[in-house]
Amino acid sequence: MKIFFRNARIVDPSGKYDGLFDILIVDGAIQEIGSSLGGNPVNYEINLRGKLVLPGLFDMHTHLREPGQEYKEDIASGTAAAANGGFTAIAAMPNTDPVVDSADVVKYVIDRAKQSPTAEQAGLVSVYQIAAITEGRKGVKLSEMKDLSEAGAVAFSDDGSAVTDSQVMRLALEYSSMLGKPIIQHCEDHALTRSGTVNESPKTIEYGLKTQHRLAEELIVSRDIMMLEAFGGKYHATHLSTAESVEIVAAAKKRGLPITCDVTPHHLFLDDGVLSSYDSDYKVNPPLRTKADNEALVGALKSGVIDAIASDHAPHALHEKEVEFDSAPFGMIGLETTVGAVMTGLYHTGVLDIHAIVRLLSINPRKIMGIPVPEFDLGARADLAIVDPDYEWTVDPDKFKSKSRNTGFKGRRFKGNAVGVVNGDRFYFSDRLK
Ligand code: DOR
Ligand code: ZN
């Protein structure tokens, strides 16, 4: 199988092939990168004039919902959505049914992803599994982290909930050092958030919604940093949402602590003003904050305090979201809007250049999880995303490959989107690639 890309603007973090090249891929490996290649017959020849070729994107925070909640999403639909969004690899969160807290379930998901859904599409997106920190994600008893690690888990998280018990957290951090795999904390002091569903601000109080205070996040970030300092560990704070959280992380990094963190597109570009609509697609955890928080998070991307952008793709069925705001589940989908949101809000605005975006969406999240980073090198396995930076589109969830439709970006105009991926000998080219 030969794929030939002409006039590709390669974005190569190593700098070696950073520029306009032709690329010849043979049986899933990069055979040639050069100028004016060609001549030999190939299966696909595509002119990529005006398109960017990036190292395949990696989403370190995806909810695939398999096993147990396949009506929301499954490995087949979730990986199809990922490929459609430019991701060649994802890490799946363990808050499934059953919870991924045993070696058997870790192996089950990894094996399923290799076969699913058809032989042709299997392996299009590499699926990595995150295992639970505690049994049943109950926060009480540590899971068998060593067994889970040996079964293939790349990281540990009770996402959806925080580990608030300090003794459990201490043990988790100590094991993370031993295993060399990160603890990914969903930072929330549940005693403080209680049944709150939205950010506590003058706006949301006016809307009459049940609120959670921003300190609920910041208290856990602060405590975890103190624990990291005392006990060591590999620690990552996911979906940070407040200006103070990133300030706290910045100070810790300044002291030399090995903390990393990520942010979602919705916390970067949506604020709690949208809740005047009472639309539960805007109900996420942590909640959407204020415009000032959006700006602080963008600033922290620019300064390098935030290491990664992660989608927190959280699919939920229509019937679950179409209930009273208080009863709806938290979460919005993100795999198919991340590139559009990032290109529109960070690239075309001049906040970040394309190399910074590649670090945030491809290189750093892999490094955090100890996953090999794609390289543009002769003989290397092809692992790349094709992005059309000028593709203008309106977000229409009905066009998504995901089974779910719950996105707060619906109806938005974006400039820029993924148009294809190559992952070894598997590839996907969207209709948008013209
Ligand atoms: O919005 C969210 N949805 N936040 C979480 O922490 C969990 C996630 C989910 O699983 O739906
Ligand atoms: Zn979470």
Side-chain angles (χ1 to χ4, degrees):
M1 169 62 70
K2 294 187 180 180
I3 302 174
F4 181 49
F5 294 131
R6 277 192 294 125
N7 303 310
R9 164 65 175 99
I10 300 180
V11 181
D12 179 2
S14 81
K16 201 163 154 194
Y17 292 108
D18 200 48
L20 205 61
F21 291 98
D22 295 342
I23 311 170
L24 178 64
I25 296 165
V26 179
D27 296 334
I30 298 176
Q31 187 165 86
E32 282 186 74
I33 303 178
S35 317
S36 312
L37 302 179
N40 295 322
V42 295
N43 303 83
Y44 292 87
E45 175 169 339
I46 301 172
N47 188 344
L48 291 185
R49 189 177 299 281
K51 317 286 192 293
L52 305 169
V53 174
L54 319 179
L57 307 183
F58 174 51
D59 188 35
M60 67 183 296
H61 191 142
T62 297
H63 296 275
L64 277 183
R65 306 298 191 210
E66 190 173 344
Q69 296 180 313
E70 289 84 352
Y71 66 96
K72 298 176 195 251
E73 197 79 286
D74 58 24
I75 294 169
S77 63
T79 55
N84 196 33
F87 295 94
T88 55
I90 55 176
M93 278 294 172
N95 61 337
T96 48
D97 185 12
V99 171
V100 186
D101 62 358
S102 71
D104 284 349
V105 188
V106 173
K107 286 185 198 146
Y108 170 83
V109 178
I110 293 173
D111 288 348
R112 281 276 297 170
K114 285 185 182 145
Q115 304 150 10
S116 174
T118 59
E120 192 188 289
Q121 212 203 318
L124 172 61
V125 173
S126 308
V127 174
Y128 295 91
Q129 183 63 50
I130 301 166
I133 300 171
T134 65
E135 283 182 8
R137 294 175 47 253
K138 292 196 172 83
V140 179
K141 190 169 176 291
L142 210 65
S143 63
E144 295 291 343
M145 286 177 60
K146 190 161 173 287
D147 290 355
L148 292 163
S149 174
E150 281 164 7
V154 289
F156 299 90
S157 181
D158 275 3
D159 184 57
S161 313
V163 173
T164 52
D165 182 309
S166 300
Q167 172 60 13
V168 173
M169 192 60 183
R170 174 181 182 169
L171 292 172
L173 284 170
E174 288 171 350
Y175 271 94
S176 75
S177 300
M178 227 146 64
L179 302 170
K181 294 187 175 170
I183 298 296
I184 299 178
Q185 178 77 299
H186 163 119
C187 301
E188 175 179 354
D189 183 341
H190 297 282
L192 191 57
T193 54
R194 300 228 168 193
S195 54
T197 58
V198 299
N199 181 46
E200 183 170 328
S201 77
K203 272 184 193 160
T204 55
I205 290 166
E206 184 195 314
Y207 304 152
L209 292 164
K210 289 184 186 162
T211 61
Q212 40 171 290
H213 198 274
R214 55 208 296 115
L215 257 187
E217 175 173 304
E218 294 149 9
L219 285 171
I220 297 296
V221 177
S222 306
R223 181 211 60 174
D224 287 354
I225 286 169
M226 293 180 81
M227 296 196 72
L228 183 63
E229 196 154 18
F231 305 120
K234 239 177 117 61
Y235 176 85
H236 178 89
T238 191
H239 51 49
L240 291 184
S241 67
T242 80
E244 293 79 4
S245 288
V246 289
E247 262 176 40
I248 295 163
V249 170
K253 285 191 166 190
K254 230 178 182 167
R255 293 207 305 279
L257 290 176
I259 179 175
T260 55
C261 66
D262 70 66
V263 67
T264 72
H266 50 270
H267 291 110
L268 287 168
F269 303 122
L270 298 173
D271 67 87
D272 60 8
V274 296
L275 292 159
S276 60
S277 67
Y278 300 93
D279 182 340
S280 65
D281 282 348
Y282 298 116
K283 180 175 171 182
V284 286
N285 198 14
L288 300 177
R289 306 290 182 182
T290 66
K291 282 211 163 67
D293 291 302
N294 295 158
E295 280 161 25
L297 295 173
V298 169
L301 281 174
K302 214 173 147 72
S303 67
V305 167
I306 297 175
D307 303 273
I309 297 173
S311 78
D312 195 1
H313 179 79
H316 293 293
L318 202 63
H319 72 268
E320 296 171 305
K321 279 291 198 179
E322 274 185 342
V323 295
E324 232 189 310
F325 193 91
D326 278 347
S327 329
F330 290 105
M332 70 170 81
I333 53 174
L335 286 169
E336 291 166 275
T337 46
T338 293
V339 168
V342 165
M343 293 303 284
T344 306
L346 300 172
Y347 177 80
H348 288 296
T349 50
V351 173
L352 298 179
D353 66 20
I354 195 66
H355 279 281
I357 289 169
V358 163
R359 282 195 294 278
L360 291 160
L361 276 173
S362 176
I363 310 300
N364 291 351
R366 282 188 176 86
K367 283 189 176 159
I368 290 165
M369 288 197 184
I371 290 166
V373 168
E375 279 170 3
F376 291 100
D377 245 328
L378 305 189
R381 187 171 176 284
D383 183 340
L384 52 89
I386 307 165
V387 168
D388 183 344
D390 299 316
Y391 186 86
E392 295 192 37
W393 58 295
T394 302
V395 177
D396 175 2
D398 287 337
K399 296 209 172 118
F400 288 164
K401 308 273 182 199
S402 170
K403 280 189 189 178
S404 291
R405 300 283 170 263
N406 53 308
T407 169
F409 288 117
K410 59 195 161 190
R412 281 242 179 167
R413 285 292 289 170
F414 281 153
K415 186 173 179 182
N417 204 354
V419 292
V421 292
V422 178
N423 187 23
D425 59 3
R426 309 290 155 163
F427 53 88
Y428 165 78
F429 302 129
S430 131
D431 297 341
R432 299 184 295 270
L433 180 57
K434 279 187 211 92

